[in-house]
Amino acid sequence: MNSPKTWHEFDQYTTDKLISYDPVLENVLQTNAEEGLPSIDVSPVKGKMLHMIASLAKAKNILEVGTLGGYSTIWLARALPDDGQLVSLEYSAKHAEVAKRNLKKAKLDDKVEILIGAAIETFPQLPEKGFHDFDFVFIDADKQNNSRYVEEALKLSHPGTCIVVDNVVRNGTVLDSDLEDESVQGIRQMFDYLSDHPKIESTAIQTVGSKGYDGFLLAIVK
Ligand code: SAH
Ligand code: DHB
Ligand code: MG
């Protein structure tokens, strides 16, 4: 029973039981595939989890790092109140263009702004563009910069800001300190950065599912 096949089937089972059929989100995944985007979006159950955490946090201002086709963006933006806003940082102009189309179809284009460029260069421009004081941050881009993204997010946070980082387990490879893999090293640097951090409380949860063995980090700014 304990195999990737079961993980996949259980994700399908819980998706069928707990997540209403959503033509908008289905269409997003189809568009992304047609446009040749990699299918590394969060799974439906994780998308809903992000949505629920953002709701619990009563998030009015959300930051996302790593848009891809906007699948997680839509889950998160749907947790916003009428006067809420989400800004998502994306390196690829092509991904951003597909995401913008998807967000328009989801009728969320008035609440979401996508900023194109390397996120580490976009971060310092956020306050002048009116994006700061985030209540919820989702980090899901190039893993080698994870600790810098958490550090930058902290500057734009307040006590209680919730930060979620995707893919912090990567099939367990993150345990291997000698692995010459920029993503693994970046994730390890993030854990070092967060270890005993005076202003951030964190935990990490391993997950299995349709996207394999991975996990996420949950942090709250003190
Ligand atoms: N959050 C999305 C998946 C994101 S995949 C979802 O769940 O639906 C990771 C994205 O990060 C890709 O679109 C990739 O182009 C983007 N990315 C990679 N390096 C980046 C960088 N330096 N700055 C901003 N985005 C980056
Ligand atoms: C990768 C990135 C992701 O954000 C993800 O959820 C899965 C895989 C990757 O770069 O391999
Ligand atoms: Mg991810």
Side-chain angles (χ1 to χ4, degrees):
M1 286 296 277
N2 182 13
S3 70
K5 183 166 172 279
T6 315
W7 308 343
H8 196 96
E9 283 172 7
F10 201 84
D11 257 7
Q12 193 60 56
Y13 174 73
T14 44
T15 301
D16 291 346
K17 292 285 177 196
L18 307 177
I19 302 185
S20 345
Y21 175 73
D22 190 322
V24 172
L25 287 171
E26 287 299 316
N27 182 261
V28 168
L29 296 180
Q30 200 187 323
T31 305
N32 293 355
E34 283 163 12
E35 295 290 346
L37 269 51
S39 78
I40 53 173
D41 347 63
V42 292
S43 64
V45 282
K46 196 192 264 177
K48 186 164 182 183
M49 184 195 77
L50 291 171
H51 172 93
M52 291 171 75
I53 298 175
S55 296
L56 282 169
K58 298 188 169 46
K60 225 173 135 172
N61 287 308
I62 297 180
L63 167 67
E64 177 177 67
V65 187
T67 321
L68 191 64
Y71 183 81
S72 55
T73 320
I74 292 173
W75 272 113
L76 285 169
R78 284 177 173 176
L80 289 168
D82 286 346
D83 58 346
Q85 60 174 4
L86 184 154
V87 61
S88 189
L89 316 187
E90 173 55 52
Y91 179 75
S92 157
K94 160 90 193 212
H95 295 181
E97 183 270 316
V98 175
K100 279 180 191 169
R101 266 194 281 144
N102 286 333
L103 284 155
K104 206 171 169 68
K105 282 193 240 168
K107 299 189 169 58
L108 287 165
D109 46 320
D110 57 332
K111 279 186 177 167
V112 178
E113 187 148 351
I114 297 173
L115 301 178
I116 300 170
I120 207 65
E121 284 161 29
T122 313
F123 259 105
Q125 302 166 18
L126 289 173
E128 70 207 41
K129 291 184 191 286
F131 300 109
H132 49 83
D133 213 18
F134 294 110
D135 311 300
F136 184 94
V137 179
F138 179 48
I139 298 173
D140 188 22
D142 53 322
K143 316 304 175 195
Q144 64 261 41
N145 281 314
N146 267 358
S147 65
R148 296 170 80 191
Y149 294 155
V150 176
E151 212 175 333
E152 289 300 315
L154 178 62
K155 293 182 195 163
L156 302 170
S157 297
H158 54 74
T161 297
C162 177
I163 302 172
V164 174
V165 185
D166 197 21
N167 313 117
V168 301
V169 177
R170 292 182 78 89
N171 219 14
T173 54
V174 168
L175 280 179
D176 188 349
S177 58
D178 296 331
L179 199 65
E180 287 181 28
D181 176 307
E182 285 186 337
S183 298
V184 166
Q185 292 309 325
I187 295 163
R188 293 181 64 90
Q189 277 165 21
M190 177 198 71
F191 279 114
D192 288 342
Y193 171 77
L194 289 170
S195 178
D196 291 323
H197 196 292
K199 285 196 182 149
I200 308 177
E201 200 71 75
S202 330
T203 189
I205 301 292
Q206 303 175 70
T207 57
V208 293
S210 59
K211 307 260 167 171
Y213 167 41
D214 214 320
F216 64 92
L217 179 114
L218 176 66
I220 298 180
V221 176
K222 290 193 217 172

